[in-house]
């Protein structure tokens, strides 16, 4: 009886020992097993660089970093004496071109027309006198009263008087008719050219005051007041918080068939434990520097890294670019 009791106790001890071994093995496996990979990314938002077409100095900032602005708000003033000087030159050229155009279109003044008419009448009277003198001389020449030389002299004077009268009449017609069609067209074209040049300079004046291209916050101010800025140099950065998304860099062996249009649930630790539904809008392979190289000659392969962007289904209050984002669960 006592022997059976000892055997029973031994059996129970063995069973208990096996149970402990099994429990420890299972616990060890669970503890040492690979944990699910955490897919981490960050929030980003559309950023607009504000720059000008005109080089100059920063005259005044109307906003500070962190200010919220609306599209069309004036952000900065650029001072450029060169533009103002060019404006004065363009205005002077335009005034001169308009004066030439008015002169060509209006023709000669009334005083000039009257003077040309009087000169023409004077020349016509002289021609008439010489015509009569030539006719008398011609009769006398035919009657052998005057010499051939005298006849030739009077004839030459008559022809000269006719030419003088014709020239005077041409000057009168020119004064009445004004400039030629070609001259009027040239004057009009020069006036249009001057107007276009003035409009171009005036457009540069608008570039001296830079405005916000979108609603958003001023996320950066690059130069200081008084500093020189070149053409196209960035002066301010405006971040549109309404146009935000999440960016994740994921190895291709962890994508598991993820496609654009799929949904991802994301948490933002900085905003608490709330979960946000997002939609994948962009998947693209990164450059070769982001490739995971295989460490074994056999049994492994190079793994590319892909950039995945997902857009929240609704606006997330308090979300700021740079905040960490974590994908809930596995893909």
């Amino acid at each position: 009886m006592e022997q059976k009791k000892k055997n029973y106790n031994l059996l129970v001890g063995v069973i208990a020992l096996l149970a402990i071994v099994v429990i420890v093995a299972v616990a060890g496996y669970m503890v040492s097993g690979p944990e699910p990979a955490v897919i981490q990314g960050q929030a980003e938002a559309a950023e607009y660089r504000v720059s000008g077409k005109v080089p100059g100095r920063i005259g005044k900032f109307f906003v500070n970093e962190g200010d919220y602005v609306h599209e069309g708000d004036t952000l900065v003033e650029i001072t450029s004496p060169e533009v103002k000087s060019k404006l004065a030159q363009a205005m002077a050229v335009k005034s001169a071109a308009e004066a030439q155009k008015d002169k060509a279109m209006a023709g000669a003044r009334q005083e000039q027309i009257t003077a040309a008419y009087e000169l023409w009448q004077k020349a016509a009277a002289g021609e008439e006198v010489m015509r009569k003198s030539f006719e008398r001389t011609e009769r006398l020449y035919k009657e052998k009263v005057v010499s051939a030389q005298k006849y030739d002299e009077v004839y030459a004077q008559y022809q000269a008087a006719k030419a003088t009268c014709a020239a005077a009449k041409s000057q009168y017609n020119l004064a009445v008719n004004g400039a030629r069609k070609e001259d009027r067209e040239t004057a009009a074209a020069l006036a249009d050219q001057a107007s276009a040049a003035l409009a171009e300079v005036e457009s540069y004046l608008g570039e001296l005051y830079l405005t916000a291209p979108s609603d958003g916050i001023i996320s950066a101010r690059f130069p200081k007041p008084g500093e020189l800025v070149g053409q196209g140099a960035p002066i301010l950065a405006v971040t549109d918080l309404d146009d935000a998304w999440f960016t994740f860099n994921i190895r291709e062996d962890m994508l598991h068939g993820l496609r654009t249009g799929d949904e991802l649930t994301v948490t933002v630790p900085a905003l608490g434990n709330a979960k946000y539904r997002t939609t994948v809008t962009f998947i693209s392979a990164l450059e070769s520097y982001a490739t995971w190289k295989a460490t074994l000659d056999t049994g492994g392969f190079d793994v590319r890294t892909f950039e995945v962007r997902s857009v929240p289904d609704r606006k997330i209050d308090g979300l700021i670019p740079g905040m960490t984002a974590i994908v809930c669960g596995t893909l």
Side-chain angles (χ1 to χ4, degrees):
M1 186 70 179
E2 186 177 350
Q3 184 65 32
K4 290 182 178 180
K5 186 177 181 180
K6 289 182 178 180
N7 292 336
Y8 175 77
N9 291 336
L10 180 61
L11 179 61
V12 172
V14 171
I15 293 174
L17 180 60
L18 291 175
I20 293 173
V21 171
V22 170
I23 293 173
V24 171
V26 171
Y29 175 78
M30 294 179 63
V31 171
S32 62
E35 295 183 358
V38 176
I39 298 178
Q40 177 179 324
Q42 67 178 19
E44 296 186 3
E47 183 181 81
Y48 300 89
R49 297 293 181 94
V50 179
S51 58
K53 295 181 180 179
V54 179
R57 292 186 181 274
I58 299 297
K60 181 179 180 182
F61 282 110
F62 298 99
V63 292
N64 297 311
E65 290 181 338
D67 289 349
Y68 188 86
V69 297
H70 296 280
E71 181 179 355
D73 288 350
T74 302
L75 305 180
V76 61
E77 175 192 6
I78 300 176
T79 59
S80 178
E82 294 82 2
V83 172
K84 295 181 179 179
S85 176
K86 289 181 179 180
L87 176 63
Q89 295 176 9
M91 292 178 66
V93 172
K94 183 177 183 297
S95 298
E98 290 290 346
Q100 289 293 333
K101 176 184 176 182
D102 293 341
K103 180 179 179 181
M105 295 301 179
R109 294 183 300 178
Q110 186 59 43
E111 294 84 349
Q112 293 175 318
I113 295 176
T114 301
Y117 178 77
E118 291 176 352
L119 288 175
W120 174 38
Q121 295 303 310
K122 179 180 178 181
E127 179 189 1
E128 181 64 18
V129 170
M130 290 307 303
R131 183 184 65 80
K132 292 179 179 179
S133 177
F134 172 70
E135 289 177 351
R136 287 195 297 269
T137 303
E138 186 178 26
R139 287 196 300 269
L140 294 174
Y141 173 72
K142 291 179 178 179
E143 293 174 0
K144 306 295 184 179
V145 176
V146 297
S147 63
Q149 181 178 358
K150 181 64 175 179
Y151 172 80
D152 293 338
E153 291 175 354
V154 174
Y155 178 74
Q157 292 174 359
Y158 174 51
Q159 294 298 322
K162 288 176 64 176
T164 300
C165 181
K169 184 177 180 182
S170 297
Q171 291 296 322
Y172 170 71
N173 292 335
L174 180 61
V176 171
N177 296 329
R180 294 183 302 174
K181 177 182 177 182
E182 294 82 357
D183 294 335
R184 292 195 297 268
E185 291 177 350
T186 301
L190 291 175
D192 292 341
Q193 183 180 8
S195 298
L198 178 60
E200 181 182 5
V201 176
E202 288 176 341
S203 69
Y204 292 146
L205 289 178
E207 294 295 329
L208 297 179
Y209 292 88
L210 305 184
T211 59
S214 167
D215 294 351
I217 63 169
I218 303 299
S219 54
R221 270 184 18 178
F222 302 108
K224 304 295 183 182
E227 289 186 0
L228 285 171
V229 291
Q231 182 180 10
I235 299 173
L236 292 162
V238 178
T239 300
D240 184 3
L241 298 180
D242 292 334
D243 187 8
W245 64 88
F246 297 107
T247 298
F248 305 94
N249 294 333
I250 306 175
R251 291 200 325 239
E252 62 177 309
D253 58 345
M254 298 173 62
L255 288 174
H256 302 304
L258 186 68
R259 299 169 181 259
T260 57
D262 290 349
E263 290 187 0
L264 289 180
T265 302
V266 176
T267 61
V268 181
L271 302 180
N273 297 321
K275 296 181 179 181
Y276 306 99
R277 292 177 56 187
T278 67
T279 302
V280 176
T281 59
F282 177 83
I283 301 176
S284 178
L286 295 176
E287 300 297 333
S288 58
Y289 66 83
T291 299
W292 295 70
K293 299 294 184 180
T295 57
L296 298 177
D297 294 336
T298 61
F301 60 93
D302 293 348
V303 181
R304 299 292 299 274
T305 300
F306 285 75
E307 179 185 1
V308 177
R309 299 178 190 171
S310 63
V311 178
D313 293 347
R314 59 181 178 85
K315 181 180 178 181
I316 301 176
D317 295 331
L319 184 65
I320 299 176
M323 284 184 172
T324 299
I326 299 175
V327 176
C328 297
T330 57
L331 299 180

